[in-house]
Amino acid sequence: TLNCSVNTVQTMAMMSRWMKFCFIVFIAASLPLCTSGCPEECSCDLDVDLELTVRFFGNGSPTIPNDLPENTAYLILTNYTLPAVNLHVFSHLKKLKGLNFN
């Protein structure tokens, strides 16, 4: 049989809330580390699965930036005038799942 006093149950509930709080603080403190490699000319966002989406705004540029963050999962290139795309440019992006040219 399980013999739990009210104090024991309350302590366990408080500890659970404390652990959730610590986890949230840890994640919030880690987010800048995950996006710190974001180049100035783009925007970077982490989703709930900690996957990085990088958006570059090319303003008519004919070349893809070479300073893409290595942990990029989704890459969105907007307003680029690319005559051709050499997929080798993305070979170092081991976590890349999606590529979008707007």
Side-chain angles (χ1 to χ4, degrees):
T1 62
L2 184 60
N3 184 9
C4 291
S5 68
V6 173
N7 287 339
T8 303
V9 172
Q10 288 174 341
T11 301
M12 290 173 65
M14 285 181 10
M15 191 165 116
S16 176
R17 280 186 256 152
W18 177 249
M19 290 173 69
K20 288 177 187 175
F21 174 77
C22 289
F23 178 74
I24 290 169
V25 168
F26 171 76
I27 293 298
S30 300
L31 290 180
L33 296 175
C34 295
T35 60
S36 63
C38 190
E40 283 185 30
E41 65 275 7
C42 74
S43 67
C44 297
D45 300 301
L46 282 175
D47 65 14
V48 293
D49 296 322
L50 298 180
E51 293 182 327
L52 184 64
T53 297
V54 179
R55 291 176 181 84
F56 276 94
F57 307 98
N59 297 325
S61 175
T63 59
I64 296 173
N66 59 3
D67 53 350
L68 301 170
E70 288 187 18
N71 58 335
T72 300
Y74 300 97
L75 179 60
I76 301 169
L77 299 167
T78 304
N79 293 328
Y80 280 85
T81 55
L82 303 170
V85 177
N86 181 353
L87 296 179
H88 180 63
V89 172
F90 308 111
S91 64
H92 71 287
L93 303 177
K94 304 299 182 200
K95 297 182 179 186
L96 188 63
K97 295 181 178 181
L99 181 59
N100 187 342
F101 294 96
N102 290 331

